[in-house]
Amino acid sequence: MKIHIFNFSLFGINTYVVSDPDTRQCAIIDPGMIDREEERVMDDFLKRNNLKVTNIINTHLHIDHAVGDSYLKNKYGVPVSANALDLPLGDRMQQQAAMFGIQGAFDEVVIDSFLNDGDVVNIGNGSLLVIQVPGHSQGSIALYDQKDGFVIVGDALFQGSIGRTDLPGGDFDTLISSIKNGLLSLPDSTVVYPGHGAPTTIGDEKKYNPFL
């Protein structure tokens, strides 16, 4: 599958479009579009590449990763998928905005389809394996494409760092355990696409990440 990265303005969030080049079906992961201009960037990309949106997936429901959910759901008529343990975050989008000093009115995020460890999300002829990685939030998940050798990890793991654990639902020991048991068991060559910042690899994080 192909992967395209958008870097949107709200905390420099990485939004991913994962697509199957044969069927033109795609999933949008962690939609971070906060205004009409960013929504237009996404719409233009989808139209230009003749992509059909079949999935909206959240690695977790902190506001920067989910602020574009309602727009995409309403425009393209597709369900939102995430882990059920993040339901309280989806219910509190407006409170999250206030906590971070973000102005505006924000819709609650309703999870239409729950994703759990071991589930498989099909995107045309491709697929993503769900790996639960709690610790940054209770319901954090990663999405692993074994065939193409990449994993989208949300805010669990970064190049040389890990996700913060001081937000509601965060826990340092849980996060470290999730990374070591759920992510570092993947092949060293696996490309890691984080929620913020540059890609890395599992092998590099094993060697150089000071938290691990």
Side-chain angles (χ1 to χ4, degrees):
M1 291 194 292
K2 292 184 176 180
I3 185 165
H4 186 87
I5 309 171
F6 294 88
N7 185 254
F8 290 123
S9 61
L10 190 57
F11 306 134
I13 171 68
N14 290 332
T15 293
Y16 296 98
V17 176
V18 177
S19 61
D20 170 34
D22 294 327
T23 65
R24 316 304 296 177
Q25 294 184 5
C26 74
I28 302 177
I29 300 168
D30 289 349
M33 308 86 68
I34 197 172
D35 56 31
R36 185 65 193 105
E37 181 179 351
E38 293 185 344
E39 292 166 354
R40 188 179 300 114
V41 167
M42 177 61 74
D43 290 338
D44 288 349
F45 173 81
L46 296 171
K47 183 177 181 180
R48 187 168 62 251
N49 290 278
N50 192 29
L51 296 178
K52 176 180 174 57
V53 183
T54 57
N55 304 83
I56 301 166
I57 306 173
N58 291 109
T59 61
H60 62 295
L61 289 179
H62 287 149
I63 188 169
D64 51 332
H65 292 253
V67 67
D69 280 21
S70 293
Y71 173 77
L72 291 176
K73 181 177 179 177
N74 292 333
K75 183 174 180 64
Y76 296 101
V78 295
V80 171
S81 301
N83 185 266
L85 292 176
D86 270 7
L87 277 168
L89 293 175
D91 292 341
R92 299 187 177 104
M93 292 289 285
Q94 196 65 54
Q95 292 93 322
Q96 289 192 59
M99 182 174 67
F100 289 109
I102 302 168
Q103 301 296 317
F106 299 95
D107 296 333
E108 295 179 356
V109 173
V110 177
I111 303 174
D112 302 298
S113 176
F114 296 127
L115 296 177
N116 299 298
D117 193 65
D119 287 348
V120 174
V121 179
N122 293 311
I123 305 167
N125 297 319
S127 63
L128 297 172
L129 174 69
V130 177
I131 303 171
Q132 286 191 235
V133 287
H136 177 65
S137 76
Q138 289 184 323
S140 288
I141 60 172
L143 301 159
Y144 176 47
D145 182 338
Q146 181 179 14
K147 180 181 177 182
D148 297 299
F150 69 81
V151 62
I152 297 171
V153 299
D155 288 356
L157 180 65
F158 301 112
Q159 185 180 59
S161 189
I162 61 172
R164 62 189 292 185
T165 56
D166 59 336
L167 299 173
D171 182 83
F172 179 83
D173 291 339
T174 300
L175 180 56
I176 294 297
S177 177
S178 294
I179 295 170
K180 289 183 175 180
N181 296 323
L183 297 179
L184 297 190
S185 62
L186 300 177
D188 286 357
S189 60
T190 303
V191 178
V192 175
Y193 290 107
H196 307 268
T200 181
T201 66
I202 292 295
D204 280 354
E205 296 316 302
K206 284 181 179 179
K207 290 180 182 178
Y208 305 120
N209 194 310
F211 293 91
L212 305 175

